[in-house]
């Protein structure tokens, strides 16, 4: 049976009082945003420079590489909407079960779905900064339009005095992640951790499930195996939307 395990998932949810979700790119693929390491992931695409687009030293040398490719990864297309996976987590919050979403995604879709407690550990596109942090702008349609076109936004085009490139509030490799301490505390409080759509290969998020308390249950919903599969209480290797549809909660 394709969705073997959804009965157990339902049982684990009904017995839990403090769910923390850890999400990654796989929760947004059905919205039209590709993941990184899946079979159709952007790191597999010929000509894509790979994880170096998120390398802070690379950005310092040439921000154009980042801006040439980032359009593919954003909900900058105004039509992009939260998926059933996002809506499932919103529903769990409404039921008083889910307390926090810790996401690696920078697409803003958990907030758009209405979840109140979202830790965006790799940041977001809500504002842009110069690298010296002396100038910043809140994101609006003008800057998004510039980024959508693949252009490098510069401070002087948005009211700044220099022509320094602007970097979104997204965490690059070589920078500190955001909200890690809070995420760790939430993981330690959880009685159920649901990892959805993440390869669990990028640190420090990949380490978070190992900080769960002894009584906490661990569920993985991901198309491909993860390093935590052998210690999880339930592993569902299937599409997230189809899995949550089976639960009839969205
Ligand atoms: P990955 O691309 O590493 O993993 C996404 C996982 O989701 C893969 O294992 C897919 O098999 C799975 N997946 C894709 N679509 C799915 C679906 N519809 N249903 C179920 N599973 C699905 O993405 P992340 O783990 O999020 O860093 O990657 C972590 C970080 O690596 C990202 O935040 C990004 C990247 O470098 C930064 O942006 C700084």
């Amino acid at each position: 049976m394709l969705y073997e395990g959804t009965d157990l998932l339902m049982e684990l949810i009904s017995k839990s009082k403090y769910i923390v979700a850890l999400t990654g790119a796989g929760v947004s693929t059905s919205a039209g945003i590709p993941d990184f390491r899946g079979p159709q992931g952007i790191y597999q695409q010929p000509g894509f420079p790979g994880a170096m687009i998120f390398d802070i030293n690379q950005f310092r040398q040439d921000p154009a590489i980042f801006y040439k490719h980032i359009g593919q990864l954003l909900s900058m297309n105004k039509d992009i909407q939260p998926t059933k996976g996002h809506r499932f987590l919103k529903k769990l919050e409404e039921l008083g079960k889910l307390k926090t979403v810790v996401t690696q995604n920078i697409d803003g879709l958990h907030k758009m779905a209405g979840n109140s407690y979202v830790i965006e550990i790799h940041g977001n596109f809500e504002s842009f900064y110069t690298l010296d942090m002396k100038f910043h702008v809140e994101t609006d349609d003008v800057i998004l339009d510039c980024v959508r076109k693949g252009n490098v936004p510069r401070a002087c085009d948005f009211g700044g005095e220099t022509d320094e490139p602007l970097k979104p509030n997204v965490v690059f490799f070589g920078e500190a992640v955001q909200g890690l301490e809070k995420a760790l505390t939430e993981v330690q409080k959880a009685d159920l951790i649901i990892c959805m759509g993440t390869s669990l290969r990028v640190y420090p998020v990949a380490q978070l499930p190992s900080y769960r308390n002894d009584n906490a249950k661990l569920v993985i919903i991901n198309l491909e195996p993860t390093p935590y599969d052998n210690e999880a209480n339930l592993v569902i290797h299937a599409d997230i939307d189809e899995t949550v549809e089976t639960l009839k909660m969205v």
Side-chain angles (χ1 to χ4, degrees):
M1 187 176 106
L2 187 55
Y3 300 113
E4 201 170 353
T6 46
D7 286 349
L8 178 54
L9 177 55
M10 220 39 210
E11 189 186 323
L12 291 170
I13 290 170
S14 67
K15 284 184 178 158
S16 67
K17 293 191 171 65
Y18 207 110
I19 302 178
V20 171
L22 298 186
T23 71
V27 79
S28 297
T29 48
S30 64
I33 303 171
D35 66 7
F36 300 92
R37 296 173 188 79
Q40 262 85 50
I42 56 164
Y43 291 169
Q44 326 291 341
Q45 286 175 15
F48 193 88
M52 76 176 262
I53 78 156
F54 291 110
D55 184 304
I56 191 62
N57 292 323
Q58 182 62 49
F59 187 89
R60 282 199 184 99
Q61 277 171 33
D62 185 5
I65 295 178
F66 172 76
Y67 283 109
K68 184 174 166 206
H69 295 283
I70 191 61
Q72 292 182 62
L73 289 176
L74 290 183
S75 54
M76 291 196 301
N77 173 344
K78 288 177 186 134
D79 296 336
I80 285 187
Q81 292 296 324
T83 65
K84 287 183 178 149
H86 295 100
R87 298 209 314 265
F88 165 66
L89 296 181
K90 164 68 176 158
K91 183 78 188 177
L92 288 182
E93 182 182 311
E94 282 169 4
L95 293 171
K97 298 270 182 190
L98 181 129
K99 303 303 177 189
T100 302
V101 178
V102 180
T103 188
Q104 297 159 93
N105 298 344
I106 54 176
D107 56 30
L109 289 178
H110 285 298
K111 286 181 180 164
M112 205 191 286
N115 275 104
S116 329
Y117 306 104
V118 182
I119 301 176
E120 293 169 317
I121 209 120
H122 290 163
N124 55 48
F125 267 82
E126 290 172 11
S127 52
F128 285 72
Y129 296 79
T130 49
L131 287 170
D132 62 10
M133 306 294 275
K134 285 186 179 154
F135 176 79
H136 98 278
V137 279
E138 297 304 312
T139 301
D140 62 10
D141 285 345
V142 181
I143 197 160
L144 280 186
D145 207 41
C146 168
V147 177
R148 268 186 208 114
K149 288 179 183 151
N151 297 326
V152 179
R154 294 193 179 269
C156 52
D157 299 327
F158 297 92
E161 286 171 3
T162 70
D163 67 351
E164 286 287 290
L166 295 174
K167 176 186 164 291
N169 174 36
V170 165
V171 176
F172 281 38
F173 291 108
E175 294 186 303
V177 297
Q178 300 178 8
L180 184 62
E181 215 168 299
K182 177 76 182 154
L184 189 57
T185 310
E186 289 301 287
V187 163
Q188 286 170 333
K189 282 192 209 162
D191 56 10
L192 174 60
I193 295 170
I194 305 179
C195 300
M196 282 170 58
T198 171
S199 59
L200 289 170
R201 290 185 192 278
V202 174
Y203 288 83
V205 169
Q207 226 161 3
L208 283 175
S210 66
Y211 287 95
R212 68 191 185 280
N213 71 59
D214 290 346
N215 302 320
K217 308 285 187 215
L218 178 65
V219 170
I220 313 270
I221 309 173
N222 203 61
L223 282 174
E224 293 168 290
T226 80
Y228 283 92
D229 286 9
N230 60 358
E231 52 186 278
N233 300 86
L234 172 63
V235 179
I236 300 180
H237 284 159
D239 178 75
I240 292 166
D241 286 1
E242 291 178 24
T243 304
V244 303
E245 247 172 62
T246 315
L247 303 177
K248 304 207 184 325
M249 286 173 68
V250 288

